[in-house]
Amino acid sequence: MKRYEPPAGWTVQAYKFALDPTVTQVGGLRRNTGAARFAYNHMLRRVCAVKAQRAAEASYGVAEADLTPWQGWSLPDLRRTWNEIKHWVAPWWAECSKEAFNTGLANLSAALGNWHASRTGARKGRRMGWPRPKKKHAHRSARFTTGAIRVDPDYRHVVLPRLGRIRACESTRKLARRVQAGTAQILSATVSETAGRWFCSFQVAVRRTVGRPAHAPRTGRVVGVDAGIKHLAVLSTGELVPNPAPFKAALKKLGKAQRRASRRIGPFDPATKRKRTASNRWHRAQERVAKLHATVAAVRADSWHQLTTRLAQQFDTIVVENLHVAGMVRNRKLARSLTDAAPATLRRHLGYKTGWYGSTLHVADRWYPSSKTCSGCQTVKPKLSLAERTFDCTTCGMSLDRDVNAARNLAALVRHVDLELPGDAKTGRGAYVGPVRPAPAGGAAGREASRPSWVNAARQRTATDRVLTFAR
């Protein structure tokens, strides 16, 4: 599917609301999300069958032109085939919205496309495996792009195709007023279920005016933010943002709920290695575990949203590190605490919020030793273990908290790069994402000569990662 490109001055944003559906409406929601899963699984089995049949025919020496016609996995091909077979494969198809089946076909097309791109080297990261069928009790979701999609003027209901008017648990005033004023246009709506609760997420094209709200005055020009584990973040101003550690706080309840669920009769018999009918108590125990995980995720997301919104509103320039979190979690002693803190969320949130409030985001080079460098005399320590929580400089005698010292070094990085920022990045109306370094005198030659060898090597490795993005 072609990605939607908003017009100039507009940005794509999501508005998510919790729903309060009736029993009948819950049945309709499950019916449509189940239709998406059914279309996904059926067409996946068809693609697998055609692939196996062609391989078998080729092993017998059948010519390429005489092989079974290939089942294309682009969205138009999958949709064309589905429309031809849906009358006898799913005679109940008229009870659901056509957008529900299109959701499953679009997801399958994307999954197969990603598998092919990963196999041919066009996709970075780990190699993706062949798509797997979706389970019945897995995550339920369906996306609507056409039909009656709107929020009611009473600010308490949403309207979806074939599902009708569904009450929301919270007010939809923010989105409704933007739509009425003509500064927002609803593109699609996605319904999903999380731990027994239903949500509706609207994808909206919004014309946003860049600026700071009146209740958030500027408190400083530059701030360095060092994400950590003991503290959610440490600012160069000396502020220590506490880490709620929601997963650690829920470990006792989660362990008790999982032990209780393991004693219930589940859908798989470990003795006979066969499937069986799960008991109602097993379903209730699984719902309890899912609710605990949903609470942990909600607390973590709320903490990061509050912090990143405050930073984007109160500071002109924000400097963060380019953390390699995937490599950091390989340390089994820190993996649980790192995933609980989710430090990569800081950069992702600030990437678009700085564009909303007119501030600028700088991402420091991944190889910059912010923790080993003295913020007073810029002396770099050759070694600094994780157990040393206080930075003691042997040159100038400064003693400072390790994380505060790193945050101050990050803030000092942008003092000499203002003249190097391209375009509108100097005005603060965007987010400059890329490695930043102090710029000594002497032009490009002077800068190259004054850098240590590890800096030049790191710059060569990250040359392709320098991106300039503007979130309008």
Side-chain angles (χ1 to χ4, degrees):
M1 296 179 63
K2 186 177 180 181
R3 185 177 180 181
Y4 172 78
E5 295 294 340
W10 292 64
T11 183
V12 177
Q13 183 178 339
Y15 287 83
K16 190 173 183 179
F17 304 102
L19 301 179
D20 185 19
T22 62
V23 177
T24 304
Q25 290 173 340
V26 169
L29 290 168
R30 290 182 176 177
R31 191 181 307 114
N32 281 270
T33 55
R37 179 185 60 85
F38 181 87
Y40 180 98
N41 290 342
H42 181 81
M43 293 307 298
L44 177 60
R45 288 193 296 267
R46 185 181 182 90
V47 172
C48 292
V50 172
K51 182 182 178 183
Q53 179 66 22
R54 287 174 61 90
E57 293 173 355
S59 65
Y60 286 106
V62 179
E64 179 69 23
D66 298 330
L67 294 178
T68 301
W70 179 254
Q71 171 61 57
W73 58 49
S74 65
L75 181 56
D77 291 339
L78 293 175
R79 187 184 297 162
R80 189 180 304 109
T81 304
W82 172 257
N83 290 333
E84 294 175 357
I85 66 176
K86 66 181 180 181
H87 298 281
W88 57 273
V89 170
W92 41 265
W93 66 271
E95 301 176 8
C96 304
S97 172
K98 65 176 183 179
E99 294 293 331
F101 300 104
N102 191 70
T103 300
L105 300 178
N107 292 340
L108 177 60
S109 177
L112 291 171
N114 291 336
W115 169 80
H116 183 264
S118 177
R119 188 177 182 182
T120 57
R123 179 186 175 93
K124 297 181 180 180
R126 294 181 180 179
R127 292 195 64 177
M128 298 189 63
W130 184 259
R132 298 179 181 179
K134 292 184 179 294
K135 298 182 180 180
K136 184 176 181 180
H137 298 287
H139 179 72
R140 299 187 176 102
S141 66
R143 184 169 181 256
F144 302 92
T145 57
T146 60
I149 305 175
R150 65 178 185 271
V151 289
D152 265 10
D154 63 352
Y155 304 149
R156 297 300 301 181
H157 294 82
V158 300
V159 178
L160 299 173
R162 299 301 297 271
L163 296 173
R165 197 163 171 260
I166 305 177
R167 183 174 177 82
C169 293
E170 52 190 322
S171 175
T172 61
R173 183 184 296 108
K174 289 185 177 181
L175 176 58
R177 286 183 174 179
R178 281 189 171 274
V179 173
Q180 294 170 4
T183 59
Q185 180 182 357
I186 297 178
L187 305 177
S188 64
T190 302
V191 291
S192 60
E193 184 187 22
T194 302
R197 297 188 66 188
W198 287 93
F199 297 88
C200 180
S201 178
F202 291 97
Q203 186 184 29
V204 186
V206 179
R207 184 175 62 191
R208 178 179 291 276
T209 302
V210 178
R212 303 173 187 271
H215 61 81
R218 300 183 182 182
T219 59
R221 181 176 178 272
V222 181
V223 63
V225 185
D226 180 72
I229 296 178
K230 183 178 180 181
H231 298 95
L232 194 66
V234 177
L235 309 185
S236 57
T237 58
E239 179 183 354
L240 307 178
V241 182
N243 181 12
F247 185 75
K248 183 179 179 181
L251 269 180
K252 186 175 181 179
K253 291 183 179 179
L254 190 59
K256 183 178 180 180
Q258 288 178 332
R259 286 193 298 271
R260 180 176 297 175
S262 67
R263 293 191 291 265
R264 306 306 183 200
I265 300 177
F268 181 77
D269 189 356
T272 61
K273 308 296 183 181
R274 295 181 180 179
K275 293 183 179 181
R276 61 186 179 187
T277 302
S279 65
N280 292 332
R281 289 188 176 184
W282 180 87
H283 287 293
R284 288 197 294 268
Q286 295 297 327
E287 290 176 1
R288 173 61 178 168
V289 174
K291 287 181 179 179
L292 288 173
H293 280 293
T295 301
V296 168
V299 172
R300 183 185 299 118
D302 181 69
S303 302
W304 276 118
H305 274 296
Q306 289 194 28
L307 173 62
T308 53
T309 299
R310 179 165 62 90
L311 292 176
Q313 288 179 348
Q314 295 182 353
F315 294 94
D316 294 332
T317 305
I318 307 169
V319 187
V320 298
E321 288 182 296
N322 182 14
L323 298 175
H324 182 38
V325 181
M328 296 167 64
V329 296
R330 294 173 186 170
N331 185 341
R332 61 185 181 89
K333 296 182 179 180
L334 300 177
R336 176 187 290 177
S337 300
L338 277 170
T339 52
D340 194 10
T345 309
L346 175 67
R347 177 180 174 181
R348 186 174 71 252
H349 284 188
L350 290 176
Y352 66 88
K353 290 185 180 181
T354 50
W356 288 1
Y357 301 110
S359 51
T360 306
L361 172 65
H362 291 270
V363 181
D365 191 287
R366 176 175 295 179
W367 309 102
Y368 175 64
S370 59
S371 298
K372 297 181 180 180
T373 305
C374 176
S375 59
C377 63
Q378 300 302 308
T379 301
V380 180
K381 276 191 173 184
K383 292 183 180 180
L384 184 66
S385 64
L386 289 176
E388 300 180 49
R389 305 314 305 170
T390 303
F391 183 88
D392 297 317
C393 183
T394 57
T395 303
C396 65
M398 186 190 70
S399 180
L400 189 63
D401 181 82
R402 172 198 183 109
D403 298 331
V404 176
N405 177 71
R408 290 184 179 180
N409 286 326
L410 292 174
L413 279 178
V414 300
R415 294 177 182 175
H416 303 289
V417 300
D418 291 340
L419 297 179
E420 296 184 344
L421 298 183
D424 292 339
K426 301 177 185 179
T427 65
R429 294 193 59 192
Y432 176 73
V433 182
V436 291
R437 294 285 181 182
R447 290 194 298 269
E448 189 72 22
S450 62
R451 298 190 191 113
S453 59
W454 68 267
V455 176
N456 296 325
R459 279 182 169 267
Q460 292 176 2
R461 285 191 294 268
T462 60
T464 58
D465 297 334
R466 302 178 189 181
V467 183
L468 180 64
T469 58
F470 295 96
R472 297 293 183 182

